[in-house]
């Protein structure tokens, strides 16, 4: 069984560069210091393997910590607080004096502070676990030797490795015919570092990245238009959840245009002109924006890796080809994360990093690809794990559904946060949990219970008969499980 390759965005940083008169030899060399790479390096170090990690960014943590998951969550959380103060304070019994408005420069400073703390924390973990951090760009000389080009100058040097883990990650997928300048036409990197709040923001792509950034800038006052080619948003979501999500985000002021094909996007001075076409009727129209975000997915990053020197293979999508133990054609070269097969998620890469290190040391490792959760950090949050209804129908599996709305949950009502529901899908005969889909407050935290149920093959009765604390949002999960085989108590 073959898969592909992962995340090269961030790397551990030491106070010195490592230079060798002759090649230094390691048990393990990891190329890439993102979530997959740095976790693989730490685990290898913990297992007693002499380990180095090569990272070219100059800060650890990859795309996730530097220009992805972490900075976007800072902006999402802080703009949500702004929205609550502006629009909900009175209802919550809070009098706010004076105008409440965003300080965009300070929002960005708060984001950078979070990033710096976390990337610095990874660096400390490297030192704690005696990982050599080689700050620079790594490329194959041959299947056993890696050349390192130091980030801040100096002579290139080479290191040898008994085992190599490639974890170079991914980069934003370009949109044909649209030229990104990271000022007016931006990727997921540029949208996190704008100098001012755009009056009009257009977004190509109604996936997780696009919708999260749409939420951030809508709360800051931008007029946001989302252009999605498919007939629904949130690729991978359960259809019912997707429909509910679009309805709620539209209520928040987002203009979501599904079934819309983008033909062209060009910058003219400080304006971006976008030409679109209705996917069904073929009718064309134009719109203008101050900023255009291109968020149509990510692709594996292997630039400069020189995979040919090691004889590594890639598939038609640019993913490095591996077997079910992450091995390439060479048993000692493994590939993990975004640069190979599977969902491009930081936590998936982390699991693979641990498993790869364990395969090297112990000969066995484990990743359950049927149990990788996804979360969208809009408000309400959306989270899911396991199979959805569409997939079960395609596979011909008989199932039943239990649902429970947050409007009937005491904690959600107390918090004035009642949009959404918990939906649990179970096998029709055994009641074994097959999937869970949550739209609502704290969905990203609650989905962990579903993951545990999937991992241990729990039934919905197991969940329903487990005592959940009151009053908590998690009671909605218990009631949804109960609804698959009986009647919920509070609805």
């Amino acid at each position: 069984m073959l898969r592909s390759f992962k995340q090269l965005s961030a790397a551990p940083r030491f106070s010195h560069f490592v230079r060798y008169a002759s090649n230094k030899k390691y048990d393990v060399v990891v190329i890439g210091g993102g979530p997959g790479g740095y976790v693989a390096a730490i685990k290898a170090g913990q297992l007693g393997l002499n380990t180095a990690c090569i990272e070219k960014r100059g800060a650890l943590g990859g795309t996730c910590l530097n220009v992805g998951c972490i900075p976007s969550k800072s902006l999402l959380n802080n703009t949500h607080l702004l929205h609550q103060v502006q629009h909900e304070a009175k209802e919550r019994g809070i009098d706010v004096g004076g105008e409440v408005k965003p300080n965009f420069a300070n929002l960005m400073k708060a984001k950078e502070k979070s990033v710096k703390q976390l990337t610095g924390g990874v660096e400390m973990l490297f030192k704690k676990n005696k990982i050599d951090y080689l700050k620079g760009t790594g490329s194959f000389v041959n299947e056993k030797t890696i050349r390192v080009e130091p980030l801040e100058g100096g002579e290139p040097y080479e290191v040898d490795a008994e085992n190599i883990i490639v974890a170079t990650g991914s980069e934003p997928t370009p949109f044909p015919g649209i030229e990104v300048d990271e000022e007016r036409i931006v990727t997921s990197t540029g949208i996190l570092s704008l100098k001012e709040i755009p009056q009009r923001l257009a977004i190509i792509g109604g996936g997780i990245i696009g919708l999260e950034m749409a939420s951030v800038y809508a709360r800051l006052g931008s007029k946001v238009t989302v252009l999605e080619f498919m007939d629904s948003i949130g690729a991978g979501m359960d259809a019912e959840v997707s429909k509910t999500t679009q309805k709620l985000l539209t209520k928040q002021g987002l203009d979501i245009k599904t079934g819309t094909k983008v033909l062209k996007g060009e910058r003219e001075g400080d304006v971006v002109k976008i030409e679109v076409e209705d996917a069904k009727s073929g009718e064309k129209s134009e719109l203008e924006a101050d900023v255009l975000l291109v968020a149509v997915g990510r692709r594996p990053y292997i630039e400069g890796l020189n995979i040919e020197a090691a004889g590594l293979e890639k598939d038609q999508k640019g993913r490095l080809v591996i077997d079910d133990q992450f091995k390439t054609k060479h048993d000692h070269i493994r590939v993990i994360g975004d640069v190979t097969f599977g969902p491009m998620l930081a936590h998936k890469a982390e699991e693979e990093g641990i498993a790869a290190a364990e395969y090297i040391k112990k000969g066995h490792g484990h990743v359950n690809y049927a149990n990788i959760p996804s979360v969208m950090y809009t408000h309400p949050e959306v989270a899911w794990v396991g199979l959805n209804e569409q997939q079960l129908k395609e596979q011909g599996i008989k199932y039943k559904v239990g649902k429970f709305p947050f409007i009937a949950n005491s904690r959600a009502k107390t918090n004035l946060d009642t949009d959404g529901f918990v939906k649990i899908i179970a096998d029709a005969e055994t009641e074994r949990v097959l999937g869970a889909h949550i739209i609502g407050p704290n969905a990203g935290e609650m989905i962990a219970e579903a993951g545990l149920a999937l991992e241990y093959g729990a039934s919905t009765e197991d969940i329903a008969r487990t005592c959940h604390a009151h009053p908590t949002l998690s009671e909605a999960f218990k009631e949804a499980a109960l609804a698959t085989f009986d009647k919920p108590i509070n609805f």
Side-chain angles (χ1 to χ4, degrees):
M1 171 186 175
L2 295 178
R3 294 198 309 289
S4 170
F5 153 66
K6 156 99 195 162
Q7 179 146 303
L8 140 61
S9 298
R13 176 174 50 185
F14 277 48
S15 58
H16 61 280
F17 290 123
V18 182
R19 292 188 177 88
Y20 307 112
S22 59
N23 293 10
K24 179 167 182 179
K25 191 166 188 176
Y26 290 94
D27 296 326
V28 179
V29 171
V30 182
I31 307 176
Y38 86 70
V39 167
I42 290 172
K43 188 62 181 178
Q46 290 175 344
L47 291 171
L49 298 168
N50 182 24
T51 304
C53 183
I54 304 169
E55 171 51 44
K56 74 171 190 177
R57 184 183 293 272
L60 299 173
T63 294
C64 177
L65 266 66
N66 288 277
V67 289
C69 319
I70 297 305
S72 65
K73 299 314 162 284
S74 173
L75 293 176
L76 281 157
N77 183 66
N78 292 337
T79 56
H80 178 58
L81 290 175
L82 171 69
H83 177 85
Q84 285 187 304
V85 175
Q86 287 177 327
H87 301 283
E88 301 176 13
K90 185 176 181 180
E91 188 178 3
R92 294 175 182 275
I94 302 171
D95 291 334
V96 178
E99 183 183 4
V100 177
K101 59 183 180 180
N103 183 318
F104 194 60
N106 285 345
L107 274 174
M108 291 298 178
K109 286 180 182 178
K111 174 204 70 173
E112 292 303 323
K113 182 179 180 181
S114 298
V115 169
K116 187 174 181 180
Q117 289 175 335
L118 286 166
T119 55
V122 178
E123 186 173 337
M124 292 301 297
L125 289 172
F126 267 51
K127 292 178 181 179
K128 176 182 177 182
N129 290 283
K130 298 180 173 58
I131 312 300
D132 279 355
Y133 170 55
L134 312 182
K135 189 188 296 186
T137 300
S139 61
F140 283 101
V141 175
N142 55 51
E143 64 186 69
K144 286 279 191 177
T145 304
I146 300 167
R147 175 185 173 91
V148 181
E149 295 275 355
L151 182 61
E152 297 173 3
E155 291 297 319
Y157 57 92
E158 295 178 355
V159 294
D160 293 329
E162 285 296 317
N163 297 277
I164 298 169
I165 299 175
V166 179
T168 49
S170 61
E171 63 181 351
T173 300
F175 193 96
I178 296 181
E179 185 177 345
V180 170
D181 59 17
E182 297 295 18
E183 293 179 354
R184 294 290 173 176
I185 301 179
V186 301
T187 65
S188 56
T189 298
I191 194 67
L192 295 170
S193 300
L194 296 181
K195 299 294 187 289
E196 59 184 13
I197 302 168
Q199 292 185 356
R200 300 165 299 176
L201 171 64
I203 299 172
I204 306 176
I208 289 178
I209 293 172
L211 295 174
E212 287 184 348
M213 291 300 97
S215 294
V216 166
Y217 284 95
R219 294 166 187 164
L220 292 172
S222 299
K223 182 181 184 299
V224 179
T225 304
V226 178
L227 308 168
E228 170 56 48
F229 179 72
M230 303 300 289
D231 291 332
S232 60
I233 61 171
M237 283 185 193
D238 178 84
E240 182 182 14
V241 172
S242 172
K243 186 176 180 180
T244 302
T245 301
Q246 183 169 341
K247 180 180 177 181
L248 292 172
L249 293 179
T250 299
K251 273 180 62 178
Q252 295 173 17
L254 274 62
D255 182 9
I256 301 174
K257 299 182 184 297
T258 56
T260 301
K261 181 179 181 180
V262 176
L263 302 176
K264 188 165 55 174
E266 293 181 342
R267 176 176 177 174
E268 296 184 9
D270 290 339
V271 174
V272 181
K273 294 190 175 181
I274 308 150
E275 184 180 352
V276 300
E277 177 183 274
D278 186 281
K280 291 181 180 178
S281 69
E283 182 180 348
K284 297 180 181 179
S285 59
E286 292 186 353
L287 66 147
E288 293 184 353
D290 301 296
V291 172
L292 172 64
L293 166 61
V294 179
V296 292
R298 299 182 66 82
R299 65 181 183 181
Y301 185 86
I302 57 173
E303 183 180 345
L305 190 58
N306 195 23
I307 62 171
E308 295 79 12
L312 304 187
E313 300 174 52
K314 62 180 179 179
D315 69 3
Q316 70 278 10
K317 293 185 178 180
R319 300 173 299 191
L320 293 188
V321 177
I322 56 174
D323 67 11
D324 59 1
Q325 295 183 13
F326 316 110
K327 291 189 293 187
T328 62
K329 63 185 293 186
H330 303 294
D331 287 354
H332 69 284
I333 302 178
R334 287 179 162 86
V335 182
I336 62 170
D338 287 6
V339 75
T340 190
F341 301 90
M344 290 185 174
L345 297 168
H347 44 281
K348 174 260 195 185
E350 290 174 349
E351 294 299 306
E352 290 180 334
I354 291 172
E358 289 178 335
Y359 272 121
I360 291 169
K361 179 68 175 182
K362 302 177 180 180
H364 57 82
H366 167 77
V367 179
N368 183 355
Y369 290 96
N371 192 6
I372 305 289
S374 295
V375 184
M376 183 170 77
Y377 297 88
T378 52
H379 193 87
E381 289 182 353
V382 185
W384 64 95
V385 68
L387 299 172
N388 59 39
E389 286 198 69
Q390 304 94 283
Q391 292 166 330
L392 289 166
K393 288 175 181 175
E394 289 170 3
Q395 296 177 32
I397 298 173
K398 294 182 179 180
Y399 64 91
K400 50 187 177 180
V401 174
K403 284 176 58 179
F404 191 83
F406 282 104
I407 189 70
N409 175 267
S410 57
R411 183 67 185 274
K413 292 195 78 162
T414 303
N415 292 349
L416 306 181
D417 200 357
T418 57
D419 284 334
F421 54 84
V422 177
K423 176 179 181 178
I424 299 179
I425 305 174
D427 184 273
E429 295 182 8
T430 65
E431 293 170 2
R432 182 183 180 202
V433 177
L434 300 175
H437 308 269
I438 307 173
I439 174 171
N442 278 25
E445 305 294 337
M446 291 176 62
I447 203 65
E449 183 172 0
L452 191 62
L454 280 170
E455 194 66 33
Y456 286 94
S459 70
T460 49
E461 184 174 357
D462 291 328
I463 296 169
R465 292 191 180 278
T466 299
C467 184
H468 288 60
H470 174 80
T472 60
L473 297 169
S474 67
E475 289 177 284
F477 193 85
K478 173 180 178 175
E479 296 255 29
L482 181 61
T484 64
F485 65 92
D486 201 347
K487 294 180 180 179
I489 299 299
N490 290 290
F491 185 69

